[in-house]
Amino acid sequence: MSGELISYADLVALLRAVFGHNGCSEAVAAVLAENCAMGERDGSLSHGIFRVDGYLSSLASGWVDGHAEPVVEDASPAFCRADARNGFAQPALAAARPLLVEKARHNGVAVLAIRNSHHFGALWPDIEPFAREGLIALSVVNSFACSVPYGAQSPVFGTNPIAFAAPRTGADPIVFDMATSSMANGDVQIAAREGRQLPPGSGVDSQGRPTTDPNAVLNGGALVPFGGHKGSALSMMIELLGAALTGGKFSFEVDWSEHKGAQTPHTGQLLIVFDPAFGGGLPFADRANDLVARMREAGLTRLPAERRYRHRREAETTGIPIAPTALARLRALAG
């Protein structure tokens, strides 16, 4: 990819200045900067600096509090909660993380329910660090209504991603992060911006008719679940776990009509963390390698997250390529 090259550390510093100059506390700016920089570094462009405008317009609209200080609650031996207080979910996770890990190490499993939160990034940055500590992590988050349940005519669900991370011995963790809709909403926006059509079966227009036009999906239309009724059932589960269980809003309850420019969904997130040392079998990370080896023997050429890891290694060596116009705009936004 062509563009001006910037180091990861310099991109994080630049993004911290952008968020700090546009309505975030130092602590919140640091977390959001790291999250966006990780997406850009690892080639997850729909969740990298592409997200900055959405963050800033949401902050400017008053829809989200960039200075919110999350409150962590110790609910039970294996359950903790975090009230993001109308702030972003990632700082709430950062605040609750020590307690979550402590509970998982002590009990074998621990749950974190984040409410009153806005999640606007990828999920894999939330969970990959747990796997690098030898833990297994699973997370779900709901979104805003932009996906039609299977057999229905209007959007109820969000893109509703689910992410999973597991450690391996001597290798990068197994990590996947996938929307339960046909694709991520950010990828639809990028397709519209670049004038590309969507793959057939991705979405419907405002009349419920199948369409490959990203603008028709974004302007009154909707995505559809992947895998028909199966993806739809998973998306429904994530509404229940991400919103009903945490105390967050369902995707269809998000109403930003009085906050022009708001883009960050005000919903909920659930994380479950396991310590595989409690499993009672052979070392989990070794067994994970056994599974990967058999998958390779069966002909698998790429595991989930391997493309991101490749981009990461390249970025560490040569830097992160960013279009000069985009980099100039970030520098202007940084004040």
Side-chain angles (χ1 to χ4, degrees):
M1 182 184 298
S2 60
E4 187 173 339
L5 295 173
I6 182 172
S7 72
Y8 176 72
D10 286 345
L11 181 58
V12 170
L14 177 58
L15 290 170
R16 286 184 70 165
V18 169
F19 289 120
H21 191 67
N22 289 274
C24 290
S25 67
E26 287 187 13
V28 171
V31 174
L32 296 186
E34 192 89 25
N35 190 272
C36 286
M38 289 173 72
E40 198 70 23
R41 176 198 65 191
D42 291 7
S44 298
L45 301 185
S46 63
H47 291 83
I49 63 171
F50 171 78
R51 292 285 179 176
V52 169
D53 284 344
Y55 277 117
L56 299 192
S57 62
S58 293
L59 287 160
S61 73
W63 170 247
V64 60
D65 183 359
H67 288 262
E69 296 184 6
V71 176
V72 178
E73 304 161 356
D74 190 339
S76 80
F79 206 113
C80 49
R81 299 187 293 259
D83 184 348
R85 302 179 69 193
N86 196 37
F88 295 108
Q90 296 96 329
L93 170 56
R97 195 179 191 284
L99 180 61
L100 179 63
V101 170
E102 177 187 339
K103 287 180 178 295
R105 296 287 191 201
H106 183 75
N107 297 297
V109 63
V111 176
L112 170 62
I114 302 175
R115 67 185 187 277
N116 294 329
S117 61
H118 297 249
H119 203 296
F120 199 53
L123 272 183
W124 61 263
D126 294 354
I127 61 167
E128 183 185 320
F130 291 105
R132 294 196 178 275
E133 292 184 31
L135 300 169
I136 303 167
L138 177 72
S139 184
V140 298
V141 61
N142 64 313
S143 180
F144 65 97
C146 60
S147 180
V148 179
Y150 181 76
Q153 286 75 49
S154 59
V156 176
F157 303 150
T159 55
N160 291 9
I162 181 170
F164 173 81
R168 292 175 59 197
T169 301
D172 286 316
I174 297 169
V175 182
F176 73 76
D177 176 3
M178 65 179 198
T180 51
S181 55
S182 59
M183 60 194 307
N185 196 63
D187 288 326
V188 181
Q189 295 177 47
I190 290 176
R193 186 178 288 186
E194 296 179 351
R196 292 185 288 105
Q197 294 292 294
L198 303 178
S202 297
V204 296
D205 63 16
S206 60
Q207 304 302 311
R209 298 171 300 202
T211 183
T212 59
D213 181 355
N215 292 295
V217 172
L218 294 171
N219 298 312
L223 292 164
V224 298
F226 82 86
H229 66 281
K230 296 180 180 180
S232 188
L234 286 174
S235 196
M236 177 181 65
M237 177 193 76
I238 291 168
E239 290 288 344
L240 293 170
L241 293 178
L245 180 59
T246 66
K249 292 181 182 293
F250 286 123
S251 297
F252 67 85
E253 292 175 327
V254 175
D255 179 9
W256 42 38
S257 58
E258 296 184 7
H259 296 269
K260 186 177 180 179
Q263 296 186 37
T264 58
H266 187 190
T267 54
Q269 181 179 7
L270 187 80
L271 294 99
I272 307 173
V273 176
F274 305 87
D275 185 345
F278 284 74
L282 296 172
F284 175 88
D286 292 347
R287 293 292 286 155
N289 276 345
D290 292 342
L291 176 60
V292 170
R294 185 66 188 92
M295 293 164 69
R296 299 286 196 200
E297 291 170 6
L300 185 72
T301 58
R302 193 182 82 183
L303 284 170
E306 285 190 336
R307 183 185 65 86
R308 288 199 299 270
Y309 294 146
R310 186 181 71 251
H311 278 283
R312 187 179 306 178
R313 288 190 294 270
E314 292 172 355
E316 289 168 351
T317 302
T318 63
I320 303 167
I322 299 179
T325 53
L327 202 52
R329 186 164 186 277
L330 290 177
R331 288 168 176 154
L333 288 170

